[in-house]
Amino acid sequence: MEGVNLLLVLLLIASCTILDGLILCRAMNSDILCDENEKNALIKFRQGLRNPSQSMIMSSWMLEENCCNWKGVECDNTTGHVITLDLHQQFLQGEFGTSLRGLSHLRHLDLSQNDFLKALFPEFICKFKNLEYLNLYKTNFRGSIPECLGNLSRLQLLDLGDGFSLRVDSLQWIQHLSNMRILDLSGVDLSNAKTWLHDINFLRSLVELRLSSCQLPKLLPVFVNFTSLQVLDLSLNYLDVPFPSWLVNTSSQSLVYLNLKRSLLHGLLPNTAFGNMYSLRVLDLSDNSIRGKLPSFENMTSVTFLNISENSFEGKLPPTLPSKLKHLDLSSNNLEGPLARSIAQLRQLVVLNVAWNSFNDSITEHFLNFSDLRVLDLSSNSIILNITATWMPPFQLDIIGLMSCQLGTQFPHWFHTQRDFSFIDISHGNISDKVPDWFWNLSPKVHHMNLALNYFRGEVPQVTSRLANLEKLDLSQNNFHGPLPHFSSKMKMLILSRNSFNGAISPVCESLVMNNSLMFLDLSFNNLSGTLSDCWRYGNNLAVLKLGYNNLFGEIPHSFGYLETLRYLQLKNNRLSKNLPSSLKNLQELKFLDLSGNCLSGNISSFLRKTSQKLMLLLLRNNKFDGNIPLQICQLKNLIILDLSSNALSGTIPKCVKNFLTLAGVEEFPSLVYGPYEEYRKDVMLMLKERGYDHSVFFAVIDLSDNHLSGEIPEEITTLVRLQVLNLSRNNLTGAIPCDISKLQHLEALDLSRNYLSSFLPSSIVELSMLAIANFSFNSLTGKIPIGRQFLTFDNSSYIGNPELCGMPLSKSCSGHFREDVTHCNTPKKKDVQAIHQHEEDNWLDESSFYISMVIGFITSFWLFWATLLVKTSWRHAYMRYLNKMGNNIYVFVAIRLPNKHKPSKMKD
């Protein structure tokens, strides 16, 4: 009760005088004059603001001489010093400066919800030794919060909330603020304050603690005893722990408000987690990873708000829920079993959200007797609504979420009573009826309407004037027919796919003229006909445009080039013809382009030369494009699906395909399962299924089949290590299968059939352990089929039409003289042979140079020697004497030695 009394006292102080919703605190004694220096400080502060005249408080400052009588200012009754400055929520803007430094006697300073333009946090506030109340919530200061705030020992309230440009490296200074009762540092960067909980634990008088979005580091084990704490908000942080044990003990008895939303809590929730929280009124544990069964709520008799959505709770609901609940959100868990009896007792419910669970129940109107109910969301459960046609619900709903609920074959008549809803989703409800005309007139405030995946029939009326605020309309996968309806000027998402709408798309053009908000338009899978009107200059906010699977014909209009924000364009399976407009080069944000299944023609070089380099999926199959595949296609480094099949393309496959960096594993591979790529994923799966690849994870595809491509398969294609489907069939390719094809470890489908490929199948191809589909038929391959792994599962159809192939699974056995180890992959490659020849040529040149140099040197030396003798007479005579002397010496040597050698032989004789 002490904390409650304190809050009442603070409210009483804050509401000294209220005029037009603004605080007006005046001096109790009008005879007291304010200090002149402090008055000048206030005036100087006012002068530093850009818009003081817009403030109802500050506009009166210049009309009164005594600043103690100014609005937002309070003076001490005895000394006349300014002790309160309250300018909260005046939306002032300007420089903070240092003028307020002169208000050294301040006890109460509230400048919240004003904009001080990223000024550094004012450190001089630390000198206000008497300060008890400091509120700088949403004031747009930046920098470090000074540790000298710890010197303000009288401080009871410190609110620096929404301070997303502020940071604190350590909270040790806060230990000295023993009188602190309310602390709000929401948005302040506390990522370096490793001991934050230990430091705050010194504040024994703390009543309210708000640290939302503070980037709090992992919560370290520490003994905590917040005996006075009533409000605790640690939401949107990185605590990364199970449910804090200190909240389970006696320290939580005084808690009234507990918010741990999206704080990385995980693990099991103790069954006694809330056993001591008798006073708790608000509990938010949403968007964590808490698992296990729901704990008992029987002691939480005061709770009115309970949100445990987006966790992993399982099992059935407890037999009793807190009877005072007004807000109950159990959505996105794994809860199951009956629902009706557990909620029937909650008569005060305003919000009931149990969507995305596994509840299985049949609910009648007797269990929906909630007079205050505004939100009802039972979506994505196994719930049957057995509601009588005459039921008149006691509530007026704002949100109606009944997706996947069984509503009966007839349109629910009780909707007739709901005239104030803004959101309705009754998709996948198995309703096979006409939508009554009164439904389109029910609620003028509706902005979201989803009737998809039913069996509705009939025409859709012109709802432009009736639903003027409608932003999203989804009527997909029904049996609606007739002309397209016009849509409201606020429409952002219009999905009419998989119906039987017919006629021209002119209503879209007419609506676009009045609507620049449209971002998502899906008219695919209908019976629309006629040309694509040249009206797209008005769709400058469109991000997704799907017109595929209709009967549209003619050229793609030039005005498509105005769709500069377009990311997804699908026009497949129509009868569009002629060349692609040059204006498509303006679509620089385009990531998905599907023009397949038309009669488009011409050379794609000019289109690809300046197309968006953000393209991830390029699908042009089954058209009449001709010419070579241009080198410019290699600029599309983000490409993950390339389908140019069934055209008339010729030439070779560019070697620069190695520049597809995402397929090569250099760039990050995007997720096509959730988020903005969900639409891509649906179309990718449909495309792959059409091609015979009925698989749920094929996303990396190159399909150049059924063209007139020639030359060899470039070895560079083996660098695309993330490739999952490679189809080069039905071309005129020659040469061998690349030896390094085993590098494509993610390959699941490989089709090289109906070409002129020769040589052996590389033995390493068996290392493709994920390969599920393989076709090498109708080529000129030779040798033995490799055996092992996935290749043991392929039958004859994968190899027929190759007369020189042998081995299992073919009936032809390999001859005994066949050498398995001799293939194109373990014999010198052409480039290697060329290198050897080049090396030999280089060696020959080296040897030739050596011998030529010898000859030239010999001839030069020879002639220099004899020329010198001819010119120099003295040298010539000396040389002749030398030769003569050498000749005499040799003669004497021979004459003396030879007779001596013959003498022994004569003696023997």
Side-chain angles (χ1 to χ4, degrees):
M1 289 303 295
E2 179 185 356
V4 175
N5 292 335
L6 173 64
L7 290 174
L8 292 175
V9 169
L10 290 175
L11 288 173
L12 184 60
I13 294 173
S15 57
C16 174
T17 303
I18 298 179
L19 178 61
D20 293 332
L22 299 172
I23 298 178
L24 176 59
C25 294
R26 298 178 181 273
M28 298 296 292
N29 189 341
S30 59
D31 295 333
I32 300 298
L33 296 176
C34 69
D35 183 88
E36 192 66 23
N37 291 331
E38 295 179 354
K39 176 182 177 181
N40 292 334
L42 290 170
I43 293 174
K44 190 174 181 181
F45 173 71
R46 183 184 188 278
Q47 291 172 347
L49 301 174
R50 296 180 179 180
N51 56 342
S53 58
Q54 297 180 13
S55 166
M56 294 183 64
I57 289 180
M58 301 196 79
S59 60
S60 66
W61 281 18
M62 306 311 293
L63 302 177
E64 174 69 43
E65 184 68 24
N66 186 1
C67 70
C68 291
N69 294 328
W70 290 355
K71 296 178 182 179
V73 177
E74 181 183 358
C75 298
D76 185 271
N77 293 334
T78 305
T79 64
H81 287 300
V82 174
I83 59 174
T84 296
L85 177 60
D86 191 341
L87 300 176
H88 83 278
Q89 206 171 355
Q90 294 302 293
F91 306 107
L92 298 167
Q93 191 178 66
E95 297 181 3
F96 190 73
T98 60
S99 57
L100 295 183
R101 187 193 301 267
L103 306 181
S104 58
H105 299 278
L106 274 179
R107 301 175 193 168
H108 182 114
L109 177 60
D110 191 342
L111 302 176
S112 59
Q113 298 191 62
N114 293 290
D115 185 2
F116 295 110
L117 306 175
K118 299 287 184 185
L120 288 173
F121 191 91
E123 193 166 342
F124 65 81
I125 289 180
C126 297
K127 296 183 179 181
F128 298 162
K129 303 298 184 181
N130 298 317
L131 207 58
E132 300 174 359
Y133 184 108
L134 177 59
N135 190 346
L136 300 180
Y137 168 76
K138 221 170 188 178
T139 46
N140 201 14
F141 285 116
R142 67 178 174 88
S144 295
I145 297 174
E147 295 186 3
C148 61
L149 287 182
N151 298 330
L152 305 179
S153 57
R154 297 186 179 184
L155 206 58
Q156 298 181 34
L157 181 145
L158 176 60
D159 190 346
L160 306 179
D162 210 19
F164 290 101
S165 298
L166 296 172
R167 67 180 183 275
V168 169
D169 294 327
S170 172
L171 276 178
Q172 291 184 2
W173 54 269
I174 213 165
Q175 299 179 14
H176 307 295
L177 305 181
S178 57
N179 293 314
M180 183 71 67
R181 291 184 172 272
I182 298 177
L183 176 62
D184 189 345
L185 300 180
S186 298
V188 177
D189 183 358
L190 300 179
S191 58
N192 292 325
K194 305 300 182 183
T195 59
W196 63 272
L197 184 57
H198 173 266
D199 298 329
I200 295 175
N201 194 32
F202 282 84
L203 309 181
R204 302 298 185 187
S205 301
L206 202 61
V207 175
E208 182 174 332
L209 175 61
R210 295 183 184 271
L211 300 177
S212 177
S213 301
C214 287
Q215 304 179 50
L216 292 174
K218 185 173 182 178
L219 194 61
L220 300 176
V222 63
F223 175 76
V224 178
N225 189 20
F226 291 136
T227 56
S228 302
L229 197 63
Q230 298 182 20
V231 175
L232 177 61
D233 186 352
L234 302 179
S235 61
L236 308 175
N237 280 295
Y238 311 120
L239 303 182
D240 193 21
V241 292
F243 190 81
S245 58
W246 51 269
L247 282 174
V248 181
N249 61 31
T250 55
S251 68
S252 61
Q253 291 184 5
S254 59
L255 274 178
V256 175
Y257 177 99
L258 176 59
N259 188 351
L260 300 175
K261 174 182 180 179
R262 203 181 302 170
S263 52
L264 291 186
L265 297 180
H266 53 78
L268 293 170
L269 189 66
N271 190 51
T272 59
F274 310 119
N276 298 318
M277 299 185 183
Y278 306 105
S279 304
L280 197 63
R281 296 180 184 177
V282 174
L283 174 61
D284 193 342
L285 302 179
S286 61
D287 203 358
N288 283 289
S289 300
I290 306 173
R291 55 188 175 85
K293 294 184 178 181
L294 290 177
S296 172
F297 298 108
E298 58 183 354
N299 292 334
M300 299 170 58
T301 55
S302 301
V303 70
T304 60
F305 181 103
L306 176 59
N307 188 349
I308 58 172
S309 63
E310 298 187 69
N311 280 284
S312 299
F313 289 111
E314 58 189 27
K316 298 180 179 180
L317 288 179
T320 58
L321 293 171
S323 59
K324 294 183 180 180
L325 273 174
K326 295 183 178 180
H327 183 116
L328 177 60
D329 192 343
L330 309 176
S331 60
S332 300
N333 280 285
N334 301 316
L335 300 171
E336 59 185 9
L339 172 68
R341 294 193 179 277
S342 297
I343 63 172
Q345 57 186 313
L346 309 178
R347 299 299 183 184
Q348 301 181 46
L349 271 181
V350 177
V351 173
L352 174 60
N353 187 353
V354 296
W356 299 97
N357 279 287
S358 299
F359 289 116
N360 189 342
D361 207 350
S362 178
I363 298 179
T364 64
E365 60 259 36
H366 303 294
F367 294 102
L368 295 174
N369 190 22
F370 309 118
S371 57
D372 297 323
L373 197 64
R374 294 289 291 161
V375 175
L376 175 63
D377 197 343
L378 309 177
S379 301
S380 295
N381 286 283
S382 298
I383 291 178
I384 302 173
L385 286 182
N386 285 321
I387 306 297
T388 60
T390 57
W391 181 50
M392 299 291 288
F395 46 72
Q396 280 291 323
L397 295 175
D398 177 50
I399 294 178
I400 304 174
L402 300 175
M403 180 178 67
S404 299
C405 294
Q406 301 304 302
L407 305 177
T409 57
Q410 294 185 335
F411 196 88
H413 189 75
W414 64 271
F415 286 172
H416 196 286
T417 65
Q418 304 302 301
R419 300 184 176 276
D420 198 36
F421 60 88
S422 62
F423 179 104
I424 184 168
D425 186 346
I426 55 173
S427 59
H428 216 298
N430 285 330
I431 306 172
S432 56
D433 196 1
K434 288 185 176 182
V435 179
D437 193 61
W438 51 259
F439 176 75
W440 306 106
N441 296 312
L442 275 180
S443 176
K445 63 180 284 188
V446 63
H447 62 80
H448 180 114
M449 181 181 292
N450 190 348
L451 310 183
L453 289 158
N454 282 288
Y455 302 97
F456 290 124
R457 60 184 186 275
E459 296 189 8
V460 177
Q462 300 300 328
V463 296
T464 307
S465 58
R466 304 185 187 187
L467 303 173
N469 293 305
L470 195 60
E471 295 181 359
K472 177 180 178 180
L473 176 62
D474 189 350
L475 304 180
S476 60
Q477 301 196 47
N478 280 288
N479 297 319
F480 289 114
H481 64 269
L484 292 173
H486 291 79
F487 49 85
S488 71
S489 60
K490 295 183 180 180
M491 187 73 73
K492 294 181 179 179
M493 183 175 292
L494 178 63
I495 307 175
L496 305 178
S497 60
R498 298 181 185 273
N499 280 284
S500 299
F501 289 108
N502 51 49
I505 64 170
S506 53
V508 173
C509 289
E510 294 165 7
S511 298
L512 275 177
V513 175
M514 305 298 297
N515 180 342
N516 284 327
S517 302
L518 194 65
M519 300 173 64
F520 191 113
L521 177 62
D522 187 354
L523 305 178
S524 59
F525 292 94
N526 278 288
N527 298 320
L528 302 174
S529 58
T531 61
L532 281 170
S533 303
D534 200 8
C535 64
W536 301 96
R537 67 182 69 244
Y538 302 106
N540 48 355
N541 284 314
L542 268 175
V544 175
L545 176 60
K546 300 178 66 175
L547 302 176
Y549 296 93
N550 281 288
N551 296 310
L552 302 171
F553 57 85
E555 297 182 61
I556 297 176
H558 182 80
S559 59
F560 266 42
Y562 287 94
L563 306 178
E564 295 183 359
T565 60
L566 201 64
R567 290 172 171 79
Y568 182 111
L569 176 60
Q570 187 244 60
L571 303 176
K572 72 181 301 184
N573 284 40
N574 281 286
R575 292 182 291 148
L576 302 173
S577 58
K578 297 191 178 180
N579 294 350
L580 297 177
S582 60
S583 61
L584 289 183
K585 67 184 180 182
N586 297 331
L587 310 184
Q588 291 300 308
E589 297 298 319
L590 203 61
K591 294 186 176 181
F592 182 111
L593 177 62
D594 189 353
L595 305 178
S596 55
N598 283 285
C599 302
L600 298 166
S601 59
N603 196 307
I604 60 174
S605 298
S606 57
F607 162 67
L608 289 175
R609 188 173 296 116
K610 295 183 179 181
T611 192
S612 167
Q613 295 190 22
K614 297 180 180 180
L615 267 178
M616 297 163 47
L617 294 90
L618 177 60
L619 311 175
L620 303 179
R621 70 178 294 256
N622 199 12
N623 278 285
K624 298 180 180 179
F625 293 114
D626 55 23
N628 295 343
I629 299 177
L631 295 178
Q632 288 84 356
I633 200 170
C634 298
Q635 298 174 359
L636 309 180
K637 65 177 183 178
N638 298 317
L639 209 61
I640 56 175
I641 294 185
L642 173 64
D643 190 349
L644 305 179
S645 61
S646 300
N647 280 284
L649 300 173
S650 57
T652 60
I653 301 173
K655 294 184 178 182
C656 59
V657 292
K658 62 184 179 182
N659 293 333
F660 297 153
L661 299 184
T662 301
L663 288 178
V666 178
E667 299 286 343
E668 184 178 355
F669 200 81
S671 170
L672 298 180
V673 181
Y674 302 108
Y677 302 117
E678 172 66 15
E679 285 300 317
Y680 304 166
R681 186 185 70 85
K682 293 177 182 176
D683 273 15
V684 168
M685 299 319 303
L686 180 62
M687 180 272 291
L688 291 169
K689 191 172 183 179
E690 290 174 349
R691 303 311 308 272
Y693 307 129
D694 192 6
H695 202 286
S696 60
V697 293
F698 284 151
F699 290 128
V701 179
I702 291 182
D703 192 342
L704 306 178
S705 63
D706 198 11
N707 279 286
H708 308 307
L709 299 175
S710 57
E712 297 185 355
I713 301 174
E715 292 185 7
E716 288 77 5
I717 209 165
T718 62
T719 64
L720 308 181
V721 295
R722 284 179 173 160
L723 201 60
Q724 293 170 284
V725 176
L726 177 61
N727 189 351
L728 304 178
S729 64
R730 299 178 184 273
N731 280 287
N732 302 316
L733 299 174
T734 57
I737 298 172
C739 297
D740 291 333
I741 197 167
S742 59
K743 292 181 179 179
L744 306 181
Q745 285 297 304
H746 290 88
L747 203 63
E748 300 184 37
L750 174 63
D751 192 345
L752 304 178
S753 63
R754 298 185 183 275
N755 281 286
Y756 298 98
L757 300 174
S758 57
S759 193
F760 297 79
L761 283 168
S763 57
S764 64
I765 200 170
V766 297
E767 296 174 15
L768 299 176
S769 58
M770 299 182 68
L771 199 63
I773 300 171
N775 193 348
F776 308 101
S777 62
F778 298 100
N779 280 284
S780 300
L781 299 171
T782 60
K784 185 175 181 179
I785 297 172
I787 299 176
R789 297 189 181 181
Q790 297 296 96
F791 276 72
L792 295 172
T793 65
F794 303 142
D795 57 21
N796 291 5
S797 62
S798 295
Y799 306 103
I800 60 172
N802 293 279
E804 299 301 318
L805 276 181
C806 61
M808 296 295 292
L810 298 177
S811 57
K812 181 180 178 180
S813 59
C814 297
S815 59
H817 66 274
F818 173 72
R819 293 187 59 188
E820 299 182 30
D821 59 334
V822 178
T823 70
H824 68 284
C825 294
N826 49 28
T827 55
K829 298 181 181 178
K830 183 177 180 180
K831 63 171 66 175
D832 295 334
V833 172
Q834 291 176 346
I836 292 171
H837 289 327
Q838 184 65 39
H839 182 66
E840 291 175 352
E841 290 176 2
D842 293 342
N843 287 343
W844 180 86
L845 287 174
D846 291 341
E847 293 177 4
S848 300
S849 300
F850 172 73
Y851 290 121
I852 290 171
S853 300
M854 282 183 62
V855 171
I856 292 174
F858 175 78
I859 293 173
T860 302
S861 302
F862 179 82
W863 284 111
L864 283 173
F865 174 76
W866 288 111
T868 304
L869 293 181
L870 290 173
V871 174
K872 288 279 189 178
T873 305
S874 59
W875 286 20
R876 184 168 64 250
H877 290 165
Y879 181 64
M880 290 301 178
R881 286 195 297 271
Y882 171 75
L883 290 179
N884 188 43
K885 184 179 180 180
M886 286 295 297
N888 292 332
N889 290 335
I890 294 171
Y891 174 78
V892 171
F893 176 81
V894 171
I896 295 174
R897 292 289 182 182
L898 282 178
N900 292 335
K901 288 185 177 182
H902 289 288
K903 284 181 180 180
S905 61
K906 288 181 179 182
M907 291 175 66
K908 287 180 182 181
D909 291 341

